Amino acid sequence: MSPTDLPAEIGILLYPNVQLAAVYGLTDLFNLANRFATARQSSRSPALRVSHWRGTEASVAVERVFDTAPGTPPGSPTALILPPTFGEPMTSEEAVPLARWLCERHAEGTTLSSVCIGAFLLAETGLLAHRMATTHWVYAELLAQRFPKVRVDTDKLIIDDGDVITAGGLMAWTDLGLKLVDRLLGSTIMLEIARYLLADPPGREQRCYSSFSPRLNHGDEQILKVQHWLHASGAREVTLAAMAERARLEERTFLRRFRKATGLRPTEYCQHLRVGKAREMLEFSNRTVEQIAVAAGYEDTGAFRKVFQRITGLSPGDYRSRFGVSGRT
């Protein structure tokens, strides 16, 4: 079985005091999504693989302890979820082995995601530094104190940074689960699951303009390193030369390998990242379009408007009128 034939795998990490309702609820949600997706395929092979991961007694290794596709070749999950807990956040000392393991998976292309207190373990990896992240509002101040480099924003239920996703309250696992279904199986399956479960789809996914879902599990480590850098920096003030240098590749070779790995040219990839940030600001803030253009990395507002219209099909003003919570343009 070639890598392209393998089902997308969503792993759920079992760590101390994990909320079992979230673990089993997510497992059921993804199994249901797999059922709906395979029903549409002629091969009937699994479209989605769900696994549970737990640290050993020595807390040094992490192993797969549950698998809906046990005969499938082993490998790193496409996405990993850190569910909420009913206990206090793990201390930095307790989190070291798991944080190291999570960093290794992230380096292999796994998208890391957290719900509620799971954000503390995710922050221990250092991958949330200088990024926006959310958690339960009760723990927002503590998260900001323990990890001052993380920009905590509890006004948002989900913050999707492409390679890292954080979700807020205890029950936000349903929103995160639907978001991952949308990313891996498409909006049609996600909406079918939402209707079947009588759950509200995540805000952006129920709209006719899908969010950017980057390819991260392509196996090209040098290109993945550049992608992680772009996501962490918001693709601001980057040049082709800087990207090629970070990948330690000649520019021509970098361009070829980047497009092969991601399906996009570097410029297009950066535009999608910047427009994604701009969409969030248009939806949830009262900033002017000019201010948002600058915040998204565009000094020329006219150029920003053209790129935004091309990617979303709407002007920034029309997008805010349709999807913004404030309605101010």
Side-chain angles (χ1 to χ4, degrees):
M1 183 180 289
S2 68
T4 56
D5 295 328
L6 295 174
E9 179 179 354
I10 301 180
I12 303 172
L13 184 63
L14 310 181
Y15 60 104
N17 299 312
V18 69
Q19 183 188 345
L20 293 178
V23 173
Y24 296 137
L26 284 165
T27 302
D28 288 343
L29 187 154
F30 296 137
N31 281 334
L32 188 62
N34 180 62
R35 187 196 309 171
F36 281 25
T38 52
R40 293 172 174 267
Q41 300 174 175
S42 57
S43 66
R44 291 292 192 269
S45 59
L48 205 60
R49 177 185 188 182
V50 187
S51 55
H52 297 174
W53 299 74
R54 188 194 301 275
T56 63
E57 292 182 2
S59 298
V60 175
V62 178
E63 58 185 2
R64 189 188 273 110
V65 295
F66 171 81
D67 191 350
T68 59
T72 305
S76 290
T78 310
L80 266 169
I81 298 175
L82 312 182
T85 79
F86 284 127
E88 291 300 307
M90 299 176 71
T91 65
S92 294
E93 184 177 357
E94 292 171 333
V96 166
L98 290 177
R100 184 184 301 118
W101 182 80
L102 290 169
C103 284
E104 292 171 354
R105 302 292 75 72
H106 181 261
E108 294 172 349
T110 298
T111 296
L112 302 183
S113 57
S114 67
V115 184
C116 191
I117 292 180
F120 284 81
L121 178 53
L122 185 53
E124 292 287 356
T125 65
L127 297 171
L128 293 183
H130 311 297
R131 299 202 199 199
M132 299 290 291
T134 189
T135 186
H136 195 293
W137 61 269
V138 169
Y139 292 96
E141 185 176 351
L142 180 60
L143 183 64
Q145 288 175 351
R146 278 185 55 177
F147 306 97
K149 291 183 180 180
V150 179
R151 292 179 287 162
V152 181
D153 182 359
T154 54
D155 288 337
K156 297 178 182 177
L157 186 62
I158 290 184
I159 296 178
D160 183 353
D161 245 3
D163 60 328
V164 175
I165 307 172
T166 55
L170 281 166
M171 295 301 294
W173 59 264
T174 57
D175 301 87
L176 176 61
L178 290 171
K179 174 173 279 291
L180 289 173
V181 169
D182 179 79
R183 175 182 289 197
L184 299 175
L185 301 179
S187 297
T188 299
I189 299 297
M190 183 275 291
L191 289 170
E192 285 186 5
I193 298 301
R195 282 193 292 267
Y196 187 87
L197 297 176
L198 300 180
D200 291 331
R204 262 196 288 177
E205 284 71 14
Q206 64 184 319
R207 302 164 187 170
C208 54
Y209 305 102
S210 61
S211 56
F212 178 45
S213 299
R215 297 182 192 170
L216 297 168
N217 60 344
H218 44 70
D220 191 326
E221 294 183 6
Q222 288 163 286
I223 298 303
L224 181 61
K225 185 184 299 183
V226 175
Q227 288 177 271
H228 287 161
W229 175 54
L230 292 175
H231 284 277
S233 66
R236 292 174 54 86
E237 300 179 2
V238 295
T239 63
L240 174 59
M243 288 186 276
E245 181 180 357
R246 185 162 287 262
R248 297 184 179 180
L249 296 171
E250 188 268 333
E251 287 187 16
R252 201 168 174 180
T253 302
F254 170 74
L255 281 170
R256 175 178 54 79
R257 284 175 54 175
F258 190 95
R259 186 160 191 177
K260 180 181 179 182
T262 69
L264 295 169
R265 292 187 292 271
T267 300
E268 294 172 326
Y269 195 94
C270 291
Q271 288 173 343
H272 277 282
L273 286 178
R274 292 169 183 162
V275 166
K277 295 293 184 184
R279 287 168 60 164
E280 290 185 0
M281 287 185 276
L282 287 166
E283 293 169 13
F284 298 109
S285 79
N286 286 324
R287 296 187 190 184
T288 65
V289 171
E290 290 72 19
Q291 290 171 329
I292 289 173
V294 173
Y298 290 90
E299 295 183 6
D300 185 342
T301 303
F304 165 70
R305 291 178 184 275
K306 289 179 181 178
V307 172
F308 191 94
Q309 176 105 28
R310 177 170 54 79
I311 290 177
T312 69
L314 294 172
S315 70
D318 288 341
Y319 186 90
R320 170 171 276 167
S321 295
R322 185 174 299 189
F323 302 126
V325 295
S326 64
R328 176 181 169 184
T329 59

